[in-house]
Amino acid sequence: MIDDWAGEPKNASKDGEFVRDASYIGDRIVAAVPAGSAPRPMPGTSGRVGEMLWPTEPGRYRLMAARACPWAHRAIIVRRLMGLENAFSLSLAAPTHDVRSWDYDGVYPGGMDPVLKIPRLQDAYFARVPDYPKGITVPAMAEVASRQVVTNDFNQMTIDFVREWGPHQRPGAPDLYPDELVDEIEEVDDLVYPKINNGVYRCGFAGSQEAYDKAYRELWAALDVITERLETRRYLVGDHITLADIRLFTTLVRFDAVYHGHFKCNRSKISEIPVLWGYLRDLFQTPGFGDTVDFVQTKQHYYIVHAEINPTRIVPQGPDLTGLLTEHGRESLGGTPFGDGTAPGPVSADERPPAASNPLFAA
Ligand SMILES: N[C@@H](CCC(=O)N[C@@H](CS)C(=O)NCC(=O)O)C(=O)O
């Protein structure tokens, strides 16, 4: 809750360990509140910031994201797979920013988000919580009319895209979070989130050799477990894509281009691990995954914004990414990408990453 946040350092480091700040404006956008209604307190709460329920209402919200960010990337993929493009629009921040966090410099005319009419993401945070003391992070859902952040809880947001927006999803939208698989999906996440998704950050932002060594060991131990699991299964849980695969994909797809060098996660590249490389190529080539990636922006973000670990701010040229398009052969493991659902159509021209940023569009 917001009262408890003031003065708390973000991503505080203890004994050189990177400790991610995982507190959020945790309001939710849900089906149970009628469209047109004002937000209401979550049952049993006093309705402070983080305790409100807002209605799922097409046109009312805007997803504020950035191509570079793996946590925002989850939301972009889920929105596309569920066909929610007409339910809420997408705002994409510039890849680099100063200490005031994300802005729209060079992205939209006049450096202003054209719908929210703000130059910086922080304006939507401050509209909700004046002097907001935490990280100004993507992804966030903002209410268009009030230009304020509703939620920045990246994980709950994607679960709610799947479960709360049903009537506004496309026909054939897959079930990415089936009831009967939830326990297993979250069990996999108990390993993937701390050791892999956040594990690469724990390596990269470690402030001591010991903290780095520990994070590195845990990262690779977890990747070994996941590799073994994916040797005989096409997807992490069940026989079609679920949120578990989306969560892992966003780290794997950045690995060789960023985490291997910039974050010193360099036991090997994903392209040198046949099972993970096959799994990554399979997902990359699946509509909704590879077509949401912008490698140029992703590299620019990490190598330029994190000057504390890359003081020259030089952005590497490599690696060659064309291998992502090669045959993966994982169909023989069984399963189908979307289960009883169907693939989304091609990504719309206004949301397609540029050809220079993605081998899928380079041809
Ligand atoms: N806040 C979430 C994830 C979102 C997040 O960390 N986003 C990053 C980009 S990858 C961000 O917006 N950082 C900007 C900042 O902290 O100023 C968490 O840490 O669990």
Side-chain angles (χ1 to χ4, degrees):
M1 271 159 300
I2 208 72
D3 297 355
D4 309 321
W5 293 354
E8 205 178 296
K10 59 178 184 172
N11 300 332
S13 168
K14 187 174 141 285
D15 301 330
E17 266 184 62
F18 170 73
V19 182
R20 180 171 287 278
D21 174 11
S23 50
Y24 306 103
I25 297 178
D27 287 11
R28 292 182 55 198
I29 302 174
V30 295
V33 180
S37 301
R40 60 168 69 151
M42 290 180 188
T45 72
S46 55
R48 293 195 290 177
V49 172
E51 297 178 337
M52 301 300 285
L53 297 174
W54 301 63
T56 47
E57 188 176 331
R60 182 158 173 173
Y61 309 99
R62 185 155 167 86
L63 171 60
M64 308 176 81
R67 291 283 188 203
C69 172
W71 319 101
H73 196 183
R74 288 187 189 190
I76 293 173
I77 294 173
V78 175
R79 170 177 176 267
R80 175 151 155 63
L81 293 182
M82 304 310 290
L84 287 167
E85 291 92 335
N86 293 327
F88 48 86
S89 58
L90 176 65
S91 164
L92 290 169
T96 61
H97 58 72
D98 61 21
V99 288
R100 291 170 292 174
S101 196
W102 304 96
D103 60 42
Y104 302 103
D105 234 10
V107 181
Y108 299 118
M112 299 279 271
D113 178 294
V115 175
L116 296 167
K117 314 278 187 219
I118 54 175
R120 295 183 166 274
L121 184 64
Q122 67 175 18
D123 298 315
Y125 275 83
F126 294 153
R128 183 73 196 278
V129 180
D131 301 321
Y132 182 73
K134 315 286 280 185
I136 306 290
T137 58
V138 287
M141 288 287 270
E143 187 186 36
V144 173
S146 63
R147 300 176 190 176
Q148 60 176 293
V149 168
V150 170
T151 172
N152 68 338
D153 183 338
F154 75 93
N155 192 47
Q156 187 62 47
M157 191 186 294
T158 53
I159 294 172
D160 289 343
F161 289 176
V162 174
R163 294 198 146 176
E164 301 291 335
W165 285 84
H168 312 293
Q169 293 164 357
R170 71 181 170 91
D175 188 355
L176 301 172
Y177 202 57
D179 287 340
E180 67 282 10
L181 298 180
V182 165
D183 288 349
E184 203 180 338
I185 291 171
E186 294 308 330
E187 204 176 296
V188 168
D189 200 52
D190 289 343
L191 180 72
V192 170
Y193 173 74
K195 310 293 187 197
I196 300 177
N197 297 145
N198 194 38
V200 295
Y201 284 85
R202 290 173 53 228
C203 289
F205 290 133
S208 70
Q209 187 68 49
E210 291 71 26
Y212 164 76
D213 292 346
K214 180 168 183 283
Y216 178 96
R217 272 196 308 274
E218 292 179 1
L219 166 69
W220 285 101
L223 282 170
D224 287 342
V225 170
I226 291 296
T227 302
E228 203 180 317
R229 187 177 178 101
L230 289 169
E231 208 165 329
T232 51
R233 313 158 166 250
R234 187 163 176 197
Y235 302 110
L236 275 174
V237 178
D239 57 8
H240 62 84
I241 287 161
T242 64
L243 287 183
D245 298 294
I246 297 166
R247 292 166 178 174
L248 181 59
F249 173 78
T250 59
T251 295
L252 293 187
V253 79
R254 287 165 173 73
F255 203 96
D256 291 3
V258 177
Y259 303 144
H260 179 269
H262 183 62
F263 278 175
K264 307 186 183 79
C265 301
N266 61 354
R267 193 180 84 181
S268 50
K269 300 190 199 89
I270 298 302
S271 58
E272 295 163 345
I273 307 170
V275 170
L276 290 185
W277 181 227
Y279 172 79
L280 174 59
R281 281 177 292 157
D282 188 2
L283 289 183
F284 189 84
Q285 294 166 28
T286 300
F289 284 82
D291 56 26
T292 57
V293 179
D294 185 318
F295 284 108
V296 169
Q297 287 205 6
T298 299
K299 288 197 295 182
Q300 286 174 338
H301 172 72
Y302 283 93
Y303 284 97
I304 294 174
V305 173
H306 302 162
E308 67 277 31
I309 54 174
N310 184 38
T312 64
R313 294 191 158 122
I314 290 170
V315 181
Q317 285 285 340
D320 177 359
L321 297 158
T322 51
L324 283 163
L325 303 184
T326 58
E327 228 172 275
H328 51 77
R330 286 185 59 87
E331 298 87 348
S332 61
L333 294 171
T336 49
F338 299 106
D340 295 334
T342 56
V347 66
S348 64
D350 58 327
E351 292 193 6
R352 189 164 52 216
S357 295
N358 186 319
L360 278 172
F361 305 116

